[in-house]
Amino acid sequence: MLKIWGRVNSNNVRKVLWIAEEIGLDYEHIPLGGAFGGLDDPAFRKMNPNGLVPCIDDEGFVLWESNTIIRYLAAKHGKFWPADPALRAVGDKWTDWANGSFLLSFRDVLVGLLRTPPEKRDHAAIERAFKATVANLTIVNQALQEMPYLSGQELGLGDIAFGGFAYSWFGLPAERPDFPALAEWYERLTQRPAYQKAVMTPNT
Ligand SMILES: N[C@@H](CCC(=O)N[C@@H](CS)C(=O)NCC(=O)O)C(=O)O
């Protein structure tokens, strides 16, 4: 059976759990990292020498890197994996952008507001990161004004890669600017049982 390692409050882990749920896979989830520890266990390091989650073992095939994992599961099961290269690239673009661009700004917001006690926060750094996050979300909002999903006409990998960040954004204890198209897309995600189960878990 597919095994998935990783704590559920990690957006990189959430996307893997979410796609497994959307596809309807049988899997075993093993919480690891953060408060669960275990990243330095020799057995885990052997699977992922980076000592990071998520990591999967699919019947003996071990894989790490969240975006690679969701691409692998999509390709293997023929879901969220359009044959048309251009259509596939639309989803791929957002998948790569989510971690390669968006997370660069959002990480400091998340860590600052959710994982740092108020008295220890670097408010200037959080404000800078928040502004950069808003600029990035303006791009997402614009895209969602033009198509119902980040991956095109249907839910796809780009949405799955970004959906965890959206959940964190809408749960932030901060005043957020209005992004109507993003909010409407997010509302649709929250109606999906797989998203509810895999992504809408406590952030801290
Ligand atoms: N690029 C990697 C990043 C993996 C990563 O940074 N994982 C974090 C959680 S999001 C981690 O394992 N942190 C240590 C911990 O959870 O204790 C991926 O997308 O899988």
Side-chain angles (χ1 to χ4, degrees), residues 134-157:
V134 166
N136 277 330
L137 289 175
T138 306
I139 297 171
V140 178
N141 191 61
Q142 176 77 39
L144 289 168
Q145 281 168 359
E146 291 160 15
M147 57 191 183
Y149 290 96
L150 290 174
S151 310
Q153 294 304 311
E154 292 172 10
L155 184 92
L157 286 190

Side-chain angles (χ1 to χ4, degrees), residues 18-40:
W18 183 17
I19 197 167
E21 288 290 332
E22 288 285 352
I23 294 174
L25 300 176
D26 267 345
Y27 65 90
E28 181 188 349
H29 174 228
I30 305 111
L32 206 82
F36 295 96
L39 297 177
D40 290 326

Side-chain angles (χ1 to χ4, degrees), residues 23-190:
I23 294 174
L25 300 176
D26 267 345
Y27 65 90
E28 181 188 349
H29 174 228
I30 305 111
L32 206 82
F36 295 96
L39 297 177
D40 290 326
D41 288 354
F44 184 71
R45 284 276 169 162
K46 202 170 164 200
M47 290 194 301
N48 186 354
N50 301 286
L52 295 171
V53 288
C55 181
I56 66 165
D57 180 334
D58 187 21
E59 308 286 352
F61 176 58
V62 173
L63 192 60
W64 41 265
E65 270 306 316
S66 59
N67 287 349
T68 305
I69 294 171
I70 62 172
R71 285 191 182 107
Y72 163 73
L73 292 175
K76 178 174 176 183
H77 298 283
K79 291 217 175 144
F80 311 115
W81 193 246
D84 177 65
L87 194 52
R88 190 186 299 176
V90 173
D92 270 349
K93 176 183 70 182
W94 291 107
T95 303
D96 292 337
W97 183 86
N99 274 32
S101 296
F102 182 76
L103 186 56
L104 297 186
S105 60
F106 195 47
R107 179 183 283 125
D108 284 350
V109 176
L110 270 185
V111 173
L113 293 182
L114 295 183
R115 308 230 163 96
T116 311
E119 67 281 4
K120 292 196 173 155
R121 286 179 191 162
D122 177 344
H123 294 284
I126 294 173
E127 199 177 317
R128 261 195 316 276
F130 196 89
K131 273 191 186 144
T133 297
V134 166
N136 277 330
L137 289 175
T138 306
I139 297 171
V140 178
N141 191 61
Q142 176 77 39
L144 289 168
Q145 281 168 359
E146 291 160 15
M147 57 191 183
Y149 290 96
L150 290 174
S151 310
Q153 294 304 311
E154 292 172 10
L155 184 92
L157 286 190
D159 305 272
I160 290 172
F162 194 68
F165 295 133
Y167 172 67
S168 299
W169 166 254
F170 283 102
L172 275 184
E175 205 170 306
R176 280 168 273 110
D178 256 3
F179 287 118
L182 173 66
E184 197 269 328
W185 166 84
Y186 174 67
E187 177 59 28
R188 268 182 281 132
L189 297 191
T190 66

